[in-house]
Amino acid sequence: MNDSIVHSFDPVTLLGGGEASIADVHAAHALAPMCVGADGGAELARIAGVELDTIVGDFDSISQETLETVPLARRLHVSEQDSTDFNKALRCIDAPVVVGVGFLGARLDHQLAALHVLAAHPDRSCVLLGPHEIAFLCPPQVHLKLNKSEIVSLFPLAPVTGTSKGLRWDIEGLAFDPMSFIGTSNEAVGPLTLTMNTPAMIVMLSRAHLAQVTQALARAPQAARWPVRAAQYKAPTQL
């Protein structure tokens, strides 16, 4: 693949070819002004009237007409077929946080693949905007201002343990595992703090918290971020 990387000191919007509205694009773009298209996501940018800074992919899901709107120097061609467009694009972006639009909703297999990518690249902070919720990989620690009774769903992609402050049902001491124990439909009782011991927990919140979560992930100090190599993580010992 092309070794070029999209560098930004500010949040980056990443557009995919899945279900999304023009309003979704503009909401993300307002928070993350640099815009990258993941292959067919360039079509979404064109419809929304948003200029692409870069397009990444194998270009098999984009019309020639749309492709030609992006100068050759701003096209990162990734020819391999072993990963999704989201995977190809996310690993090419170096930014404090990525706001992904067009990766949730519509086909279930695409949504599951997108969540897999979040865990596969834990060092690339990313929040995905869906039709009803946002989803992101929980960092080592995150603080959020939530109101009482707001839904907080936690879904493990691998064995993981953590702690919580501000949840109706505390998670400390629980051994989460996608095959045995999950944490959907918990509730906030006020401001929320979560910690996790390994990068494997997907957090789902209301779309209303897109800006807050984006800012929290973007401003997180290095100690509150996962290191680059996901391979170094081992499954936690079961309690």
Side-chain angles (χ1 to χ4, degrees), residues 204-225:
M204 288 163 277
L205 301 171
S206 163
R207 284 171 53 107
H209 297 294
L210 175 64
Q212 181 185 183
V213 170
T214 299
Q215 292 166 3
L217 296 180
R219 297 172 181 172
Q222 196 59 42
R225 293 176 177 270

mmCIF file of all heavy atoms in Angstrom, residues 204-225:
data_model
loop_
_atom_site.group_PDB
_atom_site.id
_atom_site.type_symbol
_atom_site.label_atom_id
_atom_site.label_comp_id
_atom_site.label_asym_id
_atom_site.label_seq_id
_atom_site.Cartn_x
_atom_site.Cartn_y
_atom_site.Cartn_z
ATOM 1 N N MET A 204 -21.543 2.604 23.811
ATOM 2 C CA MET A 204 -22.597 3.177 22.967
ATOM 3 C C MET A 204 -23.431 4.153 23.771
ATOM 4 O O MET A 204 -23.920 3.819 24.854
ATOM 5 C CB MET A 204 -23.472 2.057 22.392
ATOM 6 C CG MET A 204 -22.774 1.230 21.323
ATOM 7 S SD MET A 204 -23.585 -0.365 20.990
ATOM 8 C CE MET A 204 -22.896 -1.364 22.313
ATOM 9 N N LEU A 205 -23.561 5.372 23.225
ATOM 10 C CA LEU A 205 -24.312 6.439 23.874
ATOM 11 C C LEU A 205 -25.230 7.113 22.864
ATOM 12 O O LEU A 205 -25.123 6.884 21.652
ATOM 13 C CB LEU A 205 -23.352 7.498 24.442
ATOM 14 C CG LEU A 205 -22.311 7.064 25.465
ATOM 15 C CD1 LEU A 205 -21.337 8.197 25.729
ATOM 16 C CD2 LEU A 205 -22.985 6.625 26.759
ATOM 17 N N SER A 206 -26.077 7.998 23.353
ATOM 18 C CA SER A 206 -26.934 8.785 22.477
ATOM 19 C C SER A 206 -26.107 9.673 21.547
ATOM 20 O O SER A 206 -25.014 10.143 21.908
ATOM 21 C CB SER A 206 -27.855 9.667 23.323
ATOM 22 O OG SER A 206 -28.416 10.711 22.562
ATOM 23 N N ARG A 207 -26.636 9.905 20.342
ATOM 24 C CA ARG A 207 -25.993 10.821 19.385
ATOM 25 C C ARG A 207 -25.764 12.210 19.976
ATOM 26 O O ARG A 207 -24.881 12.939 19.521
ATOM 27 C CB ARG A 207 -26.882 10.979 18.150
ATOM 28 C CG ARG A 207 -26.873 9.829 17.179
ATOM 29 C CD ARG A 207 -27.959 10.039 16.128
ATOM 30 N NE ARG A 207 -27.862 11.329 15.479
ATOM 31 C CZ ARG A 207 -27.447 11.521 14.229
ATOM 32 N NH1 ARG A 207 -27.081 10.497 13.502
ATOM 33 N NH2 ARG A 207 -27.412 12.725 13.713
ATOM 34 N N ALA A 208 -26.545 12.570 20.976
ATOM 35 C CA ALA A 208 -26.429 13.900 21.577
ATOM 36 C C ALA A 208 -25.038 14.148 22.161
ATOM 37 O O ALA A 208 -24.643 15.297 22.373
ATOM 38 C CB ALA A 208 -27.489 14.089 22.656
ATOM 39 N N HIS A 209 -24.291 13.068 22.401
ATOM 40 C CA HIS A 209 -22.979 13.200 23.035
ATOM 41 C C HIS A 209 -21.822 13.139 22.034
ATOM 42 O O HIS A 209 -20.661 12.961 22.430
ATOM 43 C CB HIS A 209 -22.809 12.122 24.103
ATOM 44 C CG HIS A 209 -23.794 12.253 25.225
ATOM 45 N ND1 HIS A 209 -23.796 13.322 26.092
ATOM 46 C CD2 HIS A 209 -24.845 11.475 25.584
ATOM 47 C CE1 HIS A 209 -24.788 13.183 26.962
ATOM 48 N NE2 HIS A 209 -25.442 12.076 26.675
ATOM 49 N N LEU A 210 -22.116 13.291 20.738
ATOM 50 C CA LEU A 210 -21.051 13.225 19.736
ATOM 51 C C LEU A 210 -19.965 14.252 19.998
ATOM 52 O O LEU A 210 -18.766 13.925 20.009
ATOM 53 C CB LEU A 210 -21.636 13.433 18.335
ATOM 54 C CG LEU A 210 -20.602 13.508 17.198
ATOM 55 C CD1 LEU A 210 -19.853 12.187 17.063
ATOM 56 C CD2 LEU A 210 -21.275 13.892 15.880
ATOM 57 N N ALA A 211 -20.338 15.497 20.212
ATOM 58 C CA ALA A 211 -19.341 16.556 20.410
ATOM 59 C C ALA A 211 -18.530 16.309 21.674
ATOM 60 O O ALA A 211 -17.299 16.431 21.679
ATOM 61 C CB ALA A 211 -20.022 17.917 20.472
ATOM 62 N N GLN A 212 -19.223 15.933 22.765
ATOM 63 C CA GLN A 212 -18.526 15.712 24.035
ATOM 64 C C GLN A 212 -17.526 14.566 23.939
ATOM 65 O O GLN A 212 -16.385 14.673 24.409
ATOM 66 C CB GLN A 212 -19.538 15.416 25.142
ATOM 67 C CG GLN A 212 -18.878 15.202 26.483
ATOM 68 C CD GLN A 212 -19.817 14.783 27.586
ATOM 69 O OE1 GLN A 212 -19.402 14.624 28.735
ATOM 70 N NE2 GLN A 212 -21.080 14.585 27.272
ATOM 71 N N VAL A 213 -17.936 13.461 23.336
ATOM 72 C CA VAL A 213 -17.045 12.312 23.227
ATOM 73 C C VAL A 213 -15.877 12.624 22.292
ATOM 74 O O VAL A 213 -14.722 12.278 22.577
ATOM 75 C CB VAL A 213 -17.814 11.076 22.730
ATOM 76 C CG1 VAL A 213 -16.863 9.944 22.381
ATOM 77 C CG2 VAL A 213 -18.806 10.616 23.789
ATOM 78 N N THR A 214 -16.153 13.306 21.192
ATOM 79 C CA THR A 214 -15.088 13.693 20.269
ATOM 80 C C THR A 214 -14.045 14.538 20.973
ATOM 81 O O THR A 214 -12.833 14.303 20.851
ATOM 82 C CB THR A 214 -15.670 14.471 19.073
ATOM 83 O OG1 THR A 214 -16.597 13.639 18.363
ATOM 84 C CG2 THR A 214 -14.568 14.916 18.123
ATOM 85 N N GLN A 215 -14.493 15.510 21.736
ATOM 86 C CA GLN A 215 -13.568 16.382 22.457
ATOM 87 C C GLN A 215 -12.808 15.626 23.542
ATOM 88 O O GLN A 215 -11.607 15.837 23.739
ATOM 89 C CB GLN A 215 -14.338 17.561 23.055
ATOM 90 C CG GLN A 215 -14.889 18.510 21.999
ATOM 91 C CD GLN A 215 -15.924 19.469 22.542
ATOM 92 O OE1 GLN A 215 -16.211 19.486 23.754
ATOM 93 N NE2 GLN A 215 -16.511 20.281 21.669
ATOM 94 N N ALA A 216 -13.497 14.729 24.244
ATOM 95 C CA ALA A 216 -12.841 13.957 25.303
ATOM 96 C C ALA A 216 -11.735 13.077 24.734
ATOM 97 O O ALA A 216 -10.632 12.981 25.303
ATOM 98 C CB ALA A 216 -13.864 13.112 26.048
ATOM 99 N N LEU A 217 -12.005 12.408 23.616
ATOM 100 C CA LEU A 217 -10.990 11.551 23.009
ATOM 101 C C LEU A 217 -9.854 12.370 22.419
ATOM 102 O O LEU A 217 -8.682 11.974 22.488
ATOM 103 C CB LEU A 217 -11.636 10.677 21.921
ATOM 104 C CG LEU A 217 -12.682 9.670 22.393
ATOM 105 C CD1 LEU A 217 -13.237 8.882 21.211
ATOM 106 C CD2 LEU A 217 -12.105 8.721 23.436
ATOM 107 N N ALA A 218 -10.182 13.529 21.841
ATOM 108 C CA ALA A 218 -9.147 14.366 21.219
ATOM 109 C C ALA A 218 -8.203 14.965 22.247
ATOM 110 O O ALA A 218 -7.007 15.119 21.995
ATOM 111 C CB ALA A 218 -9.804 15.478 20.398
ATOM 112 N N ARG A 219 -8.735 15.292 23.407
ATOM 113 C CA ARG A 219 -7.937 15.978 24.436
ATOM 114 C C ARG A 219 -7.295 15.030 25.429
ATOM 115 O O ARG A 219 -6.588 15.477 26.338
ATOM 116 C CB ARG A 219 -8.822 16.979 25.178
ATOM 117 C CG ARG A 219 -9.362 18.097 24.289
ATOM 118 C CD ARG A 219 -10.390 18.938 25.029
ATOM 119 N NE ARG A 219 -10.926 19.998 24.189
ATOM 120 C CZ ARG A 219 -11.947 20.790 24.529
ATOM 121 N NH1 ARG A 219 -12.524 20.624 25.708
ATOM 122 N NH2 ARG A 219 -12.384 21.721 23.698
ATOM 123 N N ALA A 220 -7.533 13.748 25.288
ATOM 124 C CA ALA A 220 -7.002 12.778 26.254
ATOM 125 C C ALA A 220 -5.476 12.810 26.279
ATOM 126 O O ALA A 220 -4.833 12.800 25.228
ATOM 127 C CB ALA A 220 -7.480 11.381 25.897
ATOM 128 N N PRO A 221 -4.879 12.853 27.461
ATOM 129 C CA PRO A 221 -3.414 12.783 27.546
ATOM 130 C C PRO A 221 -2.929 11.411 27.118
ATOM 131 O O PRO A 221 -3.705 10.459 27.019
ATOM 132 C CB PRO A 221 -3.145 13.034 29.036
ATOM 133 C CG PRO A 221 -4.395 12.572 29.726
ATOM 134 C CD PRO A 221 -5.514 12.913 28.781
ATOM 135 N N GLN A 222 -1.649 11.299 26.862
ATOM 136 C CA GLN A 222 -1.096 10.044 26.367
ATOM 137 C C GLN A 222 -1.372 8.886 27.316
ATOM 138 O O GLN A 222 -1.600 7.748 26.877
ATOM 139 C CB GLN A 222 0.418 10.183 26.140
ATOM 140 C CG GLN A 222 1.024 9.089 25.282
ATOM 141 C CD GLN A 222 0.397 9.015 23.891
ATOM 142 O OE1 GLN A 222 0.150 10.037 23.259
ATOM 143 N NE2 GLN A 222 0.127 7.806 23.428
ATOM 144 N N ALA A 223 -1.391 9.159 28.602
ATOM 145 C CA ALA A 223 -1.627 8.101 29.586
ATOM 146 C C ALA A 223 -3.045 7.551 29.499
ATOM 147 O O ALA A 223 -3.316 6.452 29.995
ATOM 148 C CB ALA A 223 -1.368 8.636 30.996
ATOM 149 N N ALA A 224 -3.951 8.312 28.887
ATOM 150 C CA ALA A 224 -5.333 7.857 28.751
ATOM 151 C C ALA A 224 -5.614 7.359 27.337
ATOM 152 O O ALA A 224 -6.761 7.329 26.901
ATOM 153 C CB ALA A 224 -6.292 8.989 29.108
ATOM 154 N N ARG A 225 -4.563 6.948 26.631
ATOM 155 C CA ARG A 225 -4.699 6.398 25.279
ATOM 156 C C ARG A 225 -4.055 5.014 25.232
ATOM 157 O O ARG A 225 -3.121 4.723 25.984
ATOM 158 C CB ARG A 225 -4.011 7.300 24.250
ATOM 159 C CG ARG A 225 -4.672 8.664 24.082
ATOM 160 C CD ARG A 225 -3.875 9.527 23.112
ATOM 161 N NE ARG A 225 -4.524 10.800 22.886
ATOM 162 C CZ ARG A 225 -5.415 11.037 21.925
ATOM 163 N NH1 ARG A 225 -5.748 10.062 21.092
ATOM 164 N NH2 ARG A 225 -5.969 12.218 21.786
#
